Amino acid sequence: MSDTTERSGPAAPHEPSLDEQIAAYQREFRDLDPQVEKVVSALGRLNRRMNVAYGRQLADLGISNAEWEVLKTLVLSGEPYRLGPGELAKRLGLTPAAMTHRIDRMAGEGLVTRDRDENNRVRVIVELTDEGRTKWLEAMRMATAFEEDLLQDLTGEERGVLGEILIRLLRRVELTQPDAGGRLTDLD
C-alpha cells in the first residue's frame, strides 16, 4: 500500500484508492498530471462524503437538504428572515415552480410561513418560523461538531493555510465558470 493510500484512508466499497484511480487514468490518458488529479480527486471524494454526512444529520432532524438550503438562505438574509419566493428561487438557482413546490412542503411542515406582503397584497413573503430557526440551529450544532472532528488533526495554522488555498481554488472556478453556482437541474 502506498503512502498516499495510507494517508487518505480506505476507499469506499467498490471504489479504487486514489492511487489506483490515478494509475488507471494515467494508463488511459498519458497527459494526466498526477499531482493535479490527486488534488481534484481527493476534493471530489471529500465533498461527496461530507454531503452524505450532512444529509444523514439533516435526516435525523427530519429535514431534507433542499429544505436546509431554504432555511440557510432565509437566515443569511438577516432578520426578520423574510424573502419573496422569486428572490429565494434566484438565490438557490431554482425555477419558480420548484421553489413553489419546496415552499409548499416546508409551510406544511411548519418550517416557514407564506403570507401576503402587507404593503403589496400581490407580493408573497416567505418567512422563517421559530420551528424552522430551531431546525437550522440544531443542524448548525451538528455540522459544527462534525467539522471540528473532521479538522481535528490540523493545527490552527494548517487550517488557515488550507482555507486560503481552497478559497484561491474557488475563486479560479468562479472566474472561469461564473454560472457554476446555480443548479443544472432542480433537485426536488
Side-chain angles (χ1 to χ4, degrees), residues 10-64:
H14 310 293
E15 183 176 41
S17 71
L18 285 177
D19 285 343
E20 291 167 337
Q21 178 179 321
I22 292 166
Y25 284 179
Q26 284 183 299
R27 182 184 67 236
E28 301 297 326
F29 182 69
R30 298 201 191 291
D31 293 339
L32 182 83
D33 181 332
Q35 289 180 316
V36 170
E37 189 58 36
K38 185 183 293 185
V39 170
V40 296
S41 293
L43 284 171
R45 287 185 186 197
L46 179 60
N47 182 55
R48 280 195 321 272
R49 285 164 176 77
M50 289 177 68
N51 284 337
V52 167
Y54 291 135
R56 287 178 181 145
Q57 291 175 341
L58 293 173
D60 287 346
L61 293 173
I63 60 174
S64 69

Side-chain angles (χ1 to χ4, degrees), residues 81-105:
Y81 313 121
R82 304 172 70 194
L83 289 171
E87 182 61 24
L88 270 170
K90 181 179 172 186
R91 290 184 186 196
L92 292 171
L94 297 172
T95 64
M99 192 73 254
T100 298
H101 175 71
R102 197 174 292 184
I103 292 167
D104 288 345
R105 189 173 63 235

Side-chain angles (χ1 to χ4, degrees), residues 105-117:
R105 189 173 63 235
M106 294 179 72
E109 295 170 0
L111 301 172
V112 298
T113 59
R114 178 182 38 216
D115 294 306
R116 295 276 173 208
D117 186 337

